[in-house]
C-alpha cells in the first residue's frame, strides 16, 4: 500500500510539474519575456517544483530528513544514475561553460550546504536567505555575461496559450503537486515505519530516484531519437537549483534539521564526491567528452552508494 502511495504521488508530481511548466512558459510568452530568461528562470523553477513542494511539506510536517534527503539523493541520482545511463547510451560533448561556470557554482553551492549542516546540523532562516541570494546572483551573472553558455531549456512545444488554458494548467498543476506531495510523504513515512528504517534512507533512495525520473526519461528519449542528449549543464543546473532554491526556500519557511546522522556522515560526502569527480571525468582520457566508460564509473558509484545506504 505504501508503495502504491509513493508511485501515485510521484506520477502526480511529474504530471503537476509538467502542467505547471506549460502554464509558466505560456504566461511568460504572453508577457513577452525573452526566451533565454524564461529558460533559465521560469523553466528551472517549474521543473524544480516537485522537489520544492515535497521538501517544504516534509519539513512542515516534521520530517526534515525527507526534505534534505530528497535534495541530496536527487543530486547524487542526477549525476550517478541519469548522467551515467545517458553517456552509456551515447557519448556527450561538453561545453566550455562546464568548467567556467556550471561546475564551480555547483561545488560552491554543495560546499555551502555542507558548511551549514556540519556547523549545527540545521539550516536556519538566514542560511536559507544566503543560499537563495547566491542563486539570484548566479542567474543575474549568467544573464548578463554568459548568455551564449546557456542551453535552451524551453520545451519543444513552447506555444502561446490562451489565458484560460494558462489558468487551467496552473490550477490543475498546483493541485496535482499538492496531492502528489501528500501521497508521496505518507507513503515514504509509512514505508520507513514498516521496514523499521529512517525517513532519510527512503528519501535518498526511493524518493530521490522518483523525482529524477523526468530527467532520466528526457535523456533516454533524446538518445533514442539521435538528438542532442540532455546537456550536462542542465543536470548541473538542476543540482544547483535543488540546493539553492529548494533548500534555500524551504529553510526560509521553516528550519531544516538533521534527524538521522547518516545524512552528515554518509550521504553528503557521496554528493560532494560524485560532484567533484565529474571534473576529472570530463578531461580524462579525452578532453571535454564523456563516453560509456565514464557512464560505467558513474553507475557503479551510484549502485555502491545505494548498497551502502541500504545495508
Amino acid at each position: 500500500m505504501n508503495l502504491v502511495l509513493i508511485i501515485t504521488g510521484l506520477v502526480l508530481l511529474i504530471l503537476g510539474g509538467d502542467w505547471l511548466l506549460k502554464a509558466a512558459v505560456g504566461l511568460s510568452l504572453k508577457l513577452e519575456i525573452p526566451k533565454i530568461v524564461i529558460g533559465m528562470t521560469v523553466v528551472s523553477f517549474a521543473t524544480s517544483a516537485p522537489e520544492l513542494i515535497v521538501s517544504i511539506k516534509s519539513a512542515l510536517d516534521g520530517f526534515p530528513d525527507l526534505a534534505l534527503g530528497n535534495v541530496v539523493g536527487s543530486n547524487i541520482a542526477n549525476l550517478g544514475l541519469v548522467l551515467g545511463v545517458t553517456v552509456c547510451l551515447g557519448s556527450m560533448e561538453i561545453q566550455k561553460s562546464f568548467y567556467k561556470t556550471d561546475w564551480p557554482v555547483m561545488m560552491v553551492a554543495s560546499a555551502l550546504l555542507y558548511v551549514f549542516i556540519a556547523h549545527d546540523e540545521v539550516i536556519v532562516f538566514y542560511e536559507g536567505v544566503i543560499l537563495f541570494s547566491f542563486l539570484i546572483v548566479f542567474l543575474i551573472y549568467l544573464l548578463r555575461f554568459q548568455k551564449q553558455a546557456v542551453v535552451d531549456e524551453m520545451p519543444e512545444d513552447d506555444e502561446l496559450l490562451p489565458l484560460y488554458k494558462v489558468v487551467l494548467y496552473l490550477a490543475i498543476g498546483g493541485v496535482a503537486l499538492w496531492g502528489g506531495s501528500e501521497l508521496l510523504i505518507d507513503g515514504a513515512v509509512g514505508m520507513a515505519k514498516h521496514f523499521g528504517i529512517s525517513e532519510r534512507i527512503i528519501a535518498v533512495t526511493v524518493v530521490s530516484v522518483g523525482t529524477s525520473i523526468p530527467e532520466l526519461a528526457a535523456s533516454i528519449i533524446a538518445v533514442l531519437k539521435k538528438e542532442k542528449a540532455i546537456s550536462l549543464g542542465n543536470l548541473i543546473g538542476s543540482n544547483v537549483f535543488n540546493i539553492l532554491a529548494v533548500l534555500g526556500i524551504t529553510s526560509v519557511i521553516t528550519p531544516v534539521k538533521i534527524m538521522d546522522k547518516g545524512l552528515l556522515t554518509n550521504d553528503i560526502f557521496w554528493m560532494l564526491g560524485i560532484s567533484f569527480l565529474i571534473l576529472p571525468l570530463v578531461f580524462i582520457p579525452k578532453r571535454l567528452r564523456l563516453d560509456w566508460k565514464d557512464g560505467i564509473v558513474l553507475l557503479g558509484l551510484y549502485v555502491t552508494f545505494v548498497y551502502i545506504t541500504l545495508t
Side-chain angles (χ1 to χ4, degrees), residues 94-274:
I94 309 300
Q95 308 298 315
K96 282 183 180 174
S97 60
F98 162 77
Y99 62 85
K100 286 183 176 176
T101 51
D102 303 344
W103 185 83
V105 168
M106 177 177 69
M107 288 311 299
V108 170
S110 302
L112 262 180
L113 174 61
Y114 175 72
V115 168
F116 288 163
I117 62 173
H119 168 57
D120 55 5
E121 298 184 4
V122 63
I123 310 173
V124 293
F125 176 84
Y126 79 88
E127 291 169 334
V129 170
I130 292 170
L131 290 173
F132 193 67
S133 301
F134 181 35
L135 177 68
I136 301 301
V137 171
F138 174 52
L139 289 175
I140 291 169
Y141 167 75
L142 282 181
L143 285 168
R144 288 200 62 178
F145 305 108
Q146 289 279 316
K147 285 189 180 182
Q148 74 283 3
V150 180
V151 180
D152 175 24
E153 289 190 54
M154 294 278 284
E156 293 306 307
D157 55 343
D158 47 339
E159 55 189 309
L160 190 62
L161 298 170
L163 190 58
Y164 81 90
K165 271 196 177 177
V166 170
V167 174
L168 186 65
Y169 278 133
L170 206 57
I172 59 172
V175 169
L177 283 173
W178 172 76
S181 69
E182 290 273 0
L183 293 175
L184 179 64
I185 292 163
D186 286 350
V189 172
M191 186 177 275
K193 284 178 180 167
H194 179 74
F195 289 107
I197 54 178
S198 70
E199 284 92 17
R200 162 228 154 207
I201 290 177
I202 297 295
V204 296
T205 53
V206 180
V207 177
S208 63
V209 170
T211 51
S212 292
I213 284 172
E215 286 96 338
L216 182 60
S219 301
I220 292 170
I221 290 165
V223 171
L224 292 176
K225 285 186 174 178
K226 304 282 192 290
E227 293 170 2
K228 183 173 154 293
I230 190 166
S231 77
L232 178 56
N234 286 359
L235 288 173
I236 287 181
S238 176
N239 282 14
V240 169
F241 257 81
N242 279 345
I243 295 170
L244 301 181
V246 175
L247 284 181
I249 293 169
T250 303
S251 52
V252 164
I253 294 168
T254 180
V256 179
K257 185 171 174 57
I258 289 181
M259 311 298 272
D260 184 333
K261 297 289 189 290
L263 269 164
L264 199 50
T265 58
N266 181 64
D267 310 342
I268 192 83
F269 290 110
W270 276 96
M271 185 187 85
L272 289 166
I274 289 180

